[in-house]
Amino acid sequence: KQEVTQIPAALSVPEGENLVLNCSFTDSAIYNLQWFRQDPGKGLTSLLLIQSSQREQTSGRLNASLDKSSGRSTLYIAASQPGDSATYLCAGTNFGNEKLTFGTGTRLTIIP
Amino acid sequence: NAGVTQTPKFQVLKTGQSMTLQCAQDMNHEYMSWYRQDPGMGLRLIHYSVGAGITDQGEVPNGYNVSRSTTEDFPLRLLSAAPSQTSVYFCASWRGDYGYTFGSGTRLTVV
């Protein structure tokens, strides 16, 4: 059974810093990995999708990488802004199985 | 392009009442699913469907029922609401090259 862990559970950094959020998974048969953002009381917004044949994806100030051999994915946020404050969730699907397994989330606070 | 639409956004039920949470998507995705999100428990899969007429149970299916008569709609029924079903419910659709798209959620309170 795939298990996904995110460390740390919470992170506070000053505005302007670059930061990395980590995601670890137990089953290297992970197929697709997706990063989401969730604001308090809101739904999940998809940030980046790394498909099975890819190793990384970029969108604006965000870059996500996937290393299946080590069981890790990272989300890099450049030049952080207060508007980046939210909970970030990683989630993966396994080959032949569309079910999404979620990580525990990292609550990010950017200090102005 | 609306994506995934959930209604209602908020609902209060009395124990024992039944209700249906509505979910509709306009992306022609075959795969749809329902999750519940609880503090400290994360998101857990309730039921899912790989296409019209096909549904299956997820991790926490007890007390919930689903059907899928069309590609667009995937309603979730609470048969007899219990306080343990107080949660935020998310509907999602998926396509392999597109990933998951989630609705904005339904916040349900059972008293």
Side-chain angles (χ1 to χ4, degrees), chain A residues 8-10 26 38 46 48 56 58 65 80 84 95 102 104 110-111:
Chain A
T26 56
Q38 186 174 30
S46 178
L48 292 165
E56 67 176 330
T58 298
S65 65
S80 59
D84 295 330
F95 180 76
F102 278 91
T104 46
I110 306 300
I111 305 165

Side-chain angles (χ1 to χ4, degrees), chain B residues 8-85:
Chain B
K9 294 190 181 301
F10 301 94
Q11 184 71 49
V12 178
L13 287 179
K14 293 182 178 180
T15 298
Q17 287 184 321
S18 62
M19 78 159 295
T20 299
L21 280 63
Q22 301 291 344
C23 176
Q25 54 99 1
D26 61 0
M27 297 173 287
N28 203 32
H29 290 175
E30 292 294 331
Y31 185 92
M32 296 184 73
S33 52
W34 278 99
Y35 287 84
R36 60 178 288 175
Q37 185 176 36
D38 303 289
M41 302 292 289
L43 284 119
R44 294 178 292 171
L45 180 65
I46 305 171
H47 283 287
Y48 65 98
S49 170
V50 298
I54 306 169
T55 63
D56 206 346
Q57 297 180 352
E59 185 182 357
V60 287
N62 292 340
Y64 307 96
N65 200 4
V66 293
S67 61
R68 184 95 179 271
S69 57
T70 66
T71 299
E72 294 78 19
D73 299 301
F74 190 41
L76 178 71
R77 298 182 188 85
L78 278 70
L79 308 174
S80 178
S84 61
Q85 294 180 303

